[in-house]
Amino acid sequence: SGNPGACFIGFDMFVKPCLWAMQGQEVNLEPAYQAVLATDYPKGYAYVRLVRGNSKVENGKMYVTPVQSDQSSVMVSIKESDCLILIPPGGKGVQQGELVSVFKIGE
């Protein structure tokens, strides 16, 4: 996709690990951690979706919250995000309190 948000995610998920591997660095493509979804994400999709989000630790648990404007053409949410939340395929989305896989971004 040519939208800025989609390009950012594509670079972070695919190009950056490839560049690291070409430099001889070890690359781990697995999610960084599991976290509790702090709010509902009711949008279901037929494919895996990576949603920009913010993480925080409260009472020893990691929580993630999707950013408000997650459309691929919106650039402001890129700078406000510190992670990508993996939304699994299916029509129901993810409910508050469910565990989700999370990728750190910008590292």
Side-chain angles (χ1 to χ4, degrees):
S1 175
N3 286 322
C7 288
F8 172 76
I9 290 174
F11 179 85
D12 206 62
M13 297 298 297
F14 303 109
V15 177
K16 191 165 39 170
C18 184
L19 292 173
W20 285 343
M22 288 190 293
Q23 295 176 40
Q25 296 183 28
E26 187 172 327
V27 177
N28 181 5
L29 300 177
E30 296 295 317
Y33 53 87
Q34 296 279 304
V36 177
L37 190 64
T39 60
D40 288 339
Y41 191 84
K43 300 176 188 175
Y45 295 93
Y47 305 100
V48 169
R49 183 167 179 89
L50 294 169
V51 177
R52 290 170 284 211
N54 294 306
S55 60
K56 66 178 178 179
V57 176
E58 258 183 30
N59 300 323
K61 286 186 179 179
M62 179 66 74
Y63 291 89
V64 290
T65 305
V67 295
Q68 294 297 329
S69 299
D70 187 48
Q71 296 173 334
S72 62
S73 62
V74 176
M75 291 178 26
V76 72
S77 63
I78 294 171
K79 72 175 184 65
E80 296 172 352
S81 304
D82 66 358
C83 65
L84 296 172
I85 304 165
L86 190 147
I87 305 297
K92 66 179 181 84
V94 182
Q95 301 300 309
Q96 178 180 356
E98 288 187 52
L99 279 179
V100 291
S101 295
V102 181
F103 294 92
K104 291 298 287 180
I105 56 175
E107 294 181 350

